[in-house]
Amino acid sequence: MPRRFTDANELLGDLLDRFEAGAVSPIAHPDYAAFPSVVDADAFLKQIREAEAVGAVSLGWGRGAKRDQVAHVRLASAEALYRYLSRTPAPQIAQEAAARLVAGSALHDSLKAGASQIAEVWRRGKTWHGFASSDVDTLRHAFDLAQAILDNKHLDVDYKTFSRRTVKHSKTLERVEGVVVRLLSGIMEFPPGARPREALRAIGLERFAPPLLIAGKIDLLGADLSGAAPLYLGIAPNEADRVRFREPPAYVLTIENFASFNRHIAEADPGRLGTTMYVGGYPSLATQHALRTISGMVSKQTPIFHWSDIDPDGTWIFHTIERAVGRAILPHLMSVEIAERSGQVPTKKSAAARCPPDSGIASLAAYLAEDGAKILEQEELDPVLPAVQPMTG
């Protein structure tokens, strides 16, 4: 559709917008049918003729009965039109903004590359994920926060304190967390389908660590729970070293979904043959450390399992826990056979976790990377005990 205007400044500005976006010789048209009056049309044409007189635009005329009408306006000289409109070229604005974006910062090479990409977008007069060159100060905060994370300044600090210490305002991170994750996504590994808050939580940046829920024949250092027999315990992850096994568990099972966790301990293992833990979706860094602590308390012969959704996020969670505990773990109710039998092909495909061939989830991750692979939420499956023989005390 031809671009039509009744405001001369808007028409001339549109020519420069499209020139900055890459058009070599953009054209726009007067909208004669939309002028409120003849006076408005005359004022419009007077300004267009002024721009023509300084060499900024050239005019195309109509034919036949409309030969005295301006049919279109073509950009003739961007430099002249910038001067006529007293407008600063987008490349110049972008260059100045890009310099402010990284001034005085010691940034990771990938963040420097990201800044260059943003500047290139601004040079074309476009916005980068909704951020214009005028938003450079906000983006500068996002870069500072991203670099602070790479410097591990986020560890053992809550969300708002980290933001305040880094950019002098406690709520800034909440406003730019999506940008921070986007800047870091080429450097750090995040869950493939996680929201920004979840992604940051997985690398250790959270408001406060959620409790670790654990069920089994366990006590806490200084507290004998054999008489209480709770359904499960909730402990702060940093207190995982207080856990004591009343007797060796037949297995250790971590579960992604809260409903599946409750169903497993109530339906599949009411006698607490094993130790079952809820990891809270994407396991936080504090939870990962707790899992490593608890897994180190059981025999190397005690199998460790994980149960997640059969989807890319599930493979990411599995491999994250696998790395956290530092030993081989086995998938529970997560297999290609179950996916093929009970799953569905998703409407949108996501990338499965990158994992080495000796990972316990490697075959499922490879399957999920194929076209036509099916996924399945773990709530669709009834809980069962892992395929191990109960151990005697």
Side-chain angles (χ1 to χ4, degrees), residues 55-367:
V57 298
S58 62
L59 306 183
W61 297 89
R63 297 178 180 178
K66 297 182 178 181
R67 60 183 177 276
D68 295 328
Q69 271 190 359
V70 174
H72 67 258
V73 182
R74 183 188 298 274
L75 179 65
S77 168
E79 184 179 354
L81 188 52
Y82 280 124
R83 286 196 303 268
Y84 177 76
L85 294 176
S86 299
R87 170 170 161 173
T88 304
Q92 180 180 333
I93 295 174
Q95 182 177 358
E96 294 170 356
R100 288 171 56 198
L101 188 61
V102 299
S105 295
L107 296 178
H108 186 281
D109 287 345
S110 292
L111 293 181
K112 291 179 182 178
S116 297
Q117 292 170 3
I118 293 171
E120 183 57 36
V121 172
W122 286 345
R123 287 188 189 95
R124 299 195 301 271
K126 301 295 184 179
T127 61
W128 181 79
H129 294 285
F131 288 89
S133 55
S134 57
D135 300 316
V136 63
D137 291 334
T138 300
L139 272 182
R140 171 61 184 261
H141 285 154
F143 273 83
D144 289 342
L145 289 162
Q147 184 59 52
I149 290 173
L150 292 176
D151 292 337
N152 290 327
K153 294 180 179 179
H154 66 295
L155 298 179
D156 301 318
V157 183
D158 68 89
Y159 215 78
K160 290 191 174 182
T161 300
F162 170 71
S163 182
R164 176 176 55 78
R165 289 179 179 176
T166 306
V167 295
K168 312 304 181 188
H169 199 290
S170 63
K171 294 184 178 180
T172 299
L173 178 57
E174 294 180 6
R175 300 186 184 116
V176 298
E177 58 190 10
V179 181
V180 172
V181 171
R182 188 173 291 115
L183 292 173
L184 292 173
S185 60
I187 310 170
M188 308 181 75
E189 184 180 2
F190 292 113
R195 293 185 292 272
R197 184 73 52 88
E198 295 169 327
L200 292 174
R201 177 171 170 257
I203 62 170
L205 186 55
E206 53 193 336
R207 293 179 182 276
F208 293 99
L212 176 68
L213 305 184
I214 179 170
K217 294 179 180 179
I218 59 171
D219 297 319
L220 294 178
L221 182 64
D224 184 344
L225 305 177
S226 58
L231 186 63
Y232 56 80
L233 293 175
I235 63 172
N238 62 4
E239 293 189 330
D241 57 354
R242 294 184 60 202
V243 171
R244 295 293 183 269
F245 293 101
R246 203 172 303 131
E247 60 183 63
Y251 64 88
V252 173
L253 171 65
T254 59
I255 298 181
E256 170 193 347
N257 178 270
F258 186 57
S260 296
F261 168 75
N262 277 278
R263 288 194 64 194
H264 179 86
I265 61 179
E267 300 173 26
D269 193 7
R272 304 297 183 267
L273 295 171
T275 295
T276 306
M277 291 178 284
Y278 169 59
V279 299
Y282 303 109
S284 68
L285 193 62
T287 296
Q288 294 173 42
H289 291 164
L291 296 178
R292 185 178 186 89
T293 297
I294 294 174
S295 66
M297 298 177 181
V298 300
S299 165
K300 293 293 185 182
Q301 285 69 50
T302 303
I304 300 178
F305 296 86
H306 176 71
W307 182 17
S308 264
D309 293 337
I310 299 176
D311 64 9
D313 284 325
T315 62
W316 188 94
I317 294 170
F318 183 102
H319 188 46
T320 297
I321 295 173
E322 189 175 46
R323 288 181 297 180
V325 302
R327 55 179 282 191
I329 67 174
L330 301 168
H332 178 59
L333 297 178
M334 299 176 70
S335 68
V336 174
E337 293 73 22
I338 293 174
E340 284 292 307
R341 181 175 67 246
S342 305
Q344 293 185 339
V345 178
T347 56
K348 183 178 180 181
K349 187 175 179 179
S350 300
R354 297 188 297 271
C355 54
D358 60 348
S359 166
I361 205 65
S363 61
L364 183 61
Y367 164 78

